[in-house]
């Protein structure tokens, strides 16, 4: 029973952290107090929930791969340089591992800024997409075109599934 409660509390904490990250975007962009921003985030989650989750899932995956790739590259570079200079294999491996860990952490901190930018862009676009159309019409057309294509494919698939289910 204790494990179930801990699991539920962990799940609840993750949901609150998720909502909190978007609420802080509303605070920074709109200048709202935190409670109003949390309500705005909840409204956004109800209206664009799956888009938010997909957005975070994709950006999180890409940024994690970026951290991993940079960490491996810098770790390999640290290993090779130390090994070339000292000719001590075990010490070079330790240097490579430490280089990897440091690079992964530092790149992760730097890329967290990119994650915040993506969340802020999503909040701005989801809140009022027409501001982007007036300030940057080419970006709006590209984003809107790709988004409408995706919506059309989803609608076509849903219609096909609905028609297939009526045949039986």
């Amino acid at each position: 029973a204790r494990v179930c409660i801990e699991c539920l509390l962990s799940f609840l904490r993750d949901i609150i952290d998720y909502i909190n990250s978007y609420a802080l975007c509303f605070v920074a962009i709109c200048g709202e107090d935190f409670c109003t921003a949390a309500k705005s985030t909840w409204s956004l989650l109800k209206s664009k929930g799956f888009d938010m989750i997909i957005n975070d899932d994709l950006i999180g995956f890409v940024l994690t791969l970026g951290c991993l790739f940079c960490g491996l590259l810098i770790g390999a570079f640290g290993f090779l340089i130390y090994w070339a200079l000292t000719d001590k294999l075990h010490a070079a491996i330790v240097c490579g591992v430490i280089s990897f860990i440091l690079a992964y952490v530092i790149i992760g901190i730097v890329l967290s800024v990119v994650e915040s930018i993506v969340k802020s862009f999503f909040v701005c676009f989801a809140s009022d997409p027409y501001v982007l159309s007036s300030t940057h019409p080419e970006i709006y057309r590209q984003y809107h075109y790709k988004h409408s294509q995706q919506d059309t494919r989803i609608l076509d698939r849903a219609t096909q599934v609905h028609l297939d289910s009526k045949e039986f």
Side-chain angles (χ1 to χ4, degrees):
R2 182 173 186 233
V3 174
C4 291
I5 292 172
E6 286 178 12
C7 181
L8 288 173
L9 288 175
S10 173
F11 181 70
L12 184 61
R13 186 186 68 232
D14 290 343
I15 291 172
I16 290 171
D17 287 344
Y18 184 77
I19 291 173
N20 188 35
S21 69
Y22 278 95
L24 290 175
C25 285
F26 273 105
V27 168
I29 293 167
C30 304
E32 298 175 343
D33 64 286
F34 187 77
C35 290
T36 306
K39 289 177 186 175
S40 299
T41 301
W42 187 251
S43 297
L44 183 66
L45 185 61
K46 288 193 307 189
S47 66
K48 305 274 187 196
F50 284 116
D51 290 343
M52 284 173 67
I53 293 168
I54 291 169
N55 179 52
D56 283 347
D57 193 38
L58 291 177
I59 194 67
F61 179 73
V62 170
L63 294 180
T64 301
L65 281 181
C67 289
L68 187 63
F69 178 74
C70 289
L72 287 173
L73 187 68
I74 292 172
F77 190 67
F79 166 78
L80 291 174
I81 286 187
Y82 194 87
W83 191 31
L85 293 176
T86 64
D87 208 25
K88 297 179 182 175
L89 181 62
H90 294 294
I93 291 172
V94 170
C95 182
V97 169
I98 290 172
S99 298
F100 167 77
I101 292 169
L102 287 174
Y104 187 86
V105 169
I106 291 170
I107 298 296
I109 291 169
V110 171
L111 290 181
S112 68
V113 174
V114 174
E115 184 177 20
S116 296
I117 291 169
V118 170
K119 284 185 180 186
S120 299
F121 177 79
F122 181 82
V123 165
C124 290
F125 188 78
S127 298
D128 192 2
Y130 300 108
V131 171
L132 184 64
S133 71
S134 63
T135 57
H136 299 284
E138 184 59 34
I139 295 172
Y140 174 79
R141 278 194 294 276
Q142 289 175 353
Y143 189 77
H144 185 69
Y145 176 72
K146 289 180 181 178
H147 199 51
S148 64
Q149 276 185 327
Q150 180 185 11
D151 288 346
T152 303
R153 285 194 305 266
I154 291 170
L155 184 60
D156 289 346
R157 178 70 181 136
T159 304
Q160 185 62 38
V161 167
H162 180 69
L163 291 175
D164 289 345
S165 66
K166 283 190 172 188
E167 289 177 7
F168 293 107

